[in-house]
């Protein structure tokens, strides 16, 4: 019984720690409809283009077009994601997809 309780406790900690990594970036109340569609998980299709400079997949481009520029700024300003979005291939991916790279403050 004690072993079962310990396993449940470990699972609870794992779920609590990994829940923020589920993909959605929290948006404030009153955010626009476009901002509410922010989902960092949709950029996984862009990983090879953004990191290695490969030609972006069609799904990457459609996901970039689907999300508002404010989504990208949120990701870029989030310490959990900013290190990945500072790669020089990121702007190239936007250009290849025909999406304007937002200017973030």
């Amino acid at each position: 019984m004690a072993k079962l309780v310990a396993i449940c406790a470990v699972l609870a900690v794992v779920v609590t720690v990994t829940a923020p990594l589920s993909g959605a970036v929290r948006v404030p109340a009153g955010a626009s409809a476009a901002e509410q569609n922010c989902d960092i998980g949709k950029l996984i299709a862009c990983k090879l283009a953004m990191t290695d400079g490969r030609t972006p997949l069609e799904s990457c481009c459609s996901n970039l077009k689907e999300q508002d520029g404010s989504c990208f700024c949120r990701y870029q300003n989030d310490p959990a994601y900013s290190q990945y979005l500072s790669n020089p291939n990121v702007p190239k991916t936007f250009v290849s997809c025909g999406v304007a790279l937002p200017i973030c403050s």
Side-chain angles (χ1 to χ4, degrees):
M1 182 68 170
K3 188 174 184 177
L4 180 61
V5 170
I7 291 171
C8 288
V10 169
L11 286 174
V13 169
V14 169
V15 168
T16 303
V17 170
T18 59
L21 303 177
S22 63
V25 173
R26 295 186 191 274
V27 286
S32 71
E35 289 175 321
Q36 292 175 9
N37 290 325
C38 294
D39 183 355
I40 190 75
K42 290 184 177 184
L43 293 186
I44 290 173
C46 300
K47 181 182 179 204
L48 293 176
M50 290 183 169
T51 59
D52 297 341
R54 296 186 189 179
T55 301
L57 301 171
E58 187 177 319
S59 58
C60 166
C61 292
S62 64
N63 288 343
L64 284 178
K65 291 173 183 174
E66 182 180 295
Q67 296 193 45
D68 184 275
S70 64
C71 291
F72 182 77
C73 290
R74 284 181 193 274
Y75 308 149
Q76 195 172 36
N77 291 328
D78 187 325
Y81 307 119
S82 61
Q83 62 183 337
Y84 305 107
L85 299 175
S86 61
N87 189 303
N89 290 315
V90 171
K92 294 175 187 175
T93 302
F94 274 77
V95 169
S96 293
C97 290
V99 177
L101 184 65
I103 298 172
C104 306
S105 55

